[in-house]
Amino acid sequence: MSILKDLEFRGLLHQITDREGLDKKLSEERVVLYCGFDPTADSLHIGSLLPILTLRRFQLAGHIPLALVGGGTGLIGDPSGKANERTLNGPETVEAWSQSIKGQLSRFLDFSTNIENSAELVNNYDWLGSLNVIEFLRDVGKNFTVNYMLAKDSVDSRITKGISFTEFSYMILQSYDFLKLNETKNCSLQIGGSDQWGNITAGLELIGKTTESRAYGVTLPLVTKSDGQKFGKTEGGAIWLDANKTSPYQFYQFWLGTADNDVIRFLKYFTFISHEEIERLEVEVQTQPEKREAQKLLAREVTKLVHGGEALESALNITAALFSGNIQELTRKEIEEAFKDVPSSTLEQEDMALIDLLISVGAAPSKRQARQDIESGAVTVNGVKVTDLDAIAKDLGRLGESYLVIRRGKKNYYLAQFK
């Protein structure tokens, strides 16, 4: 099956220029393509995962992906999809974020030097940073009319609120990226999110006016949830690809919680499992949704892709331990990961009574309530129910040498660490 047919099956072809011509080119030669990622934070989030994995699909199909880090355009700010002007970050910050993002992109693409279609990381600051403004305006800017730029959605949507000349110029800079990669890397295809259509087609116009090359563009769909909620956001904020910002356990749980109405679409988008397996799971979601096999497979596959097999095993261990209540075998690292977002307290008094401990960590508002909870069997410590009103903290054992995991009721967890 051709790469475009696979993308079509997975619902990943939102917009495409010259489908017939691109399909023919992809079938006849090894195509160089690129996608850009501006460093707007020290980590990418899962909103960037779809284009990253699409680059990977093209590489697996034999083509050559260029992952572009926008060290230059990141200093300007992309107006696409934004209602207001971005806050400009300093060169040192953008450079540090660029280096961090380079490392993340390296996890998904094969940069081996012993293969013919090795991926390559590029940074557009390498050519944008040394541009002469007069030459740029004469040689590049003259190819764009203001009317043409105003007609693009990324600009038109901002006209009423206002857009700075800085962000207005972003489209020309990204177009120049495509031209530069076309000239130096023989890159003939740019992919991006649906909000990048205007920037991509502008790049195609520039290449058409200044070279004899034939180039193409493909955009991917905006990922949304069936209930209308924004994809990739939780009550705790964005889901990041950095394990220090979103732990592998939290990452796994995010995907495990996918709704039945979304899970098949997300399996198509974010995994590399076969068409046949997806179609089998689609039937199962419709006939046996209580098994949640599709959600479990989605969570395993994406967590392994992003964080690796060892992190996936840890996430599975934590999930199983919390489900069964048997948390005694969790490692110190797994305890810290599992209870990262629960109320936590650092305590010194080892001979503290359990009643006082419950108040100290916020599990009970008063001694009276604490006694009632203990007597009714609503309190567990380190997975063991405690009903002794005279229990002392130091006698309740430790997880990871210093932790007490306290649960009040079925879902309310608190973490106490003794120095």
Side-chain angles (χ1 to χ4, degrees), residues 210-357:
T210 57
T211 76
E212 296 181 356
S213 299
R214 178 68 173 147
Y216 306 85
V218 169
T219 62
L220 312 172
L222 176 68
V223 184
T224 57
K225 291 184 175 181
S226 57
D227 61 4
Q229 292 185 35
K230 192 169 183 178
F231 174 76
K233 295 284 187 179
T234 66
E235 292 181 3
I239 303 297
W240 300 93
L241 302 187
D242 185 340
N244 294 318
K245 295 170 78 74
T246 299
S247 72
Y249 167 70
Q250 293 171 315
F251 191 83
Y252 176 84
Q253 290 298 317
F254 170 80
W255 295 101
L256 192 63
T258 301
D260 290 342
N261 289 338
D262 295 323
V263 67
I264 296 302
R265 183 161 51 95
F266 290 177
L267 280 168
K268 290 179 178 180
Y269 283 1
F270 298 105
T271 77
F272 292 81
I273 62 176
S274 69
H275 295 191
E276 292 76 18
E277 179 68 357
I278 289 173
E279 289 168 346
R280 182 191 70 79
L281 287 166
E282 189 168 14
V283 173
E284 186 164 282
V285 169
Q286 295 170 352
T287 58
Q288 296 177 293
E290 70 282 355
K291 293 178 68 174
R292 296 187 67 78
E293 184 182 346
Q295 281 87 346
K296 292 173 184 176
L297 181 60
L298 174 66
R300 289 197 303 271
E301 290 290 315
V302 184
T303 303
K304 187 175 181 179
L305 267 173
V306 174
H307 294 296
E310 187 175 333
L312 170 61
E313 287 304 314
S314 179
L316 292 173
N317 288 340
I318 295 171
T319 301
L322 293 180
F323 179 78
S324 66
N326 183 26
I327 62 175
Q328 291 87 352
E329 295 183 4
L330 293 178
T331 66
R332 182 187 184 92
K333 182 179 178 182
E334 288 172 343
I335 292 166
E336 293 170 350
E337 188 174 328
F339 300 102
K340 180 179 180 180
D341 292 331
V342 307
S344 60
S345 306
T346 301
L347 307 172
E348 294 184 0
Q349 190 179 344
E350 295 246 353
D351 59 353
M352 178 185 294
L354 176 59
I355 290 174
D356 295 325
L357 176 63

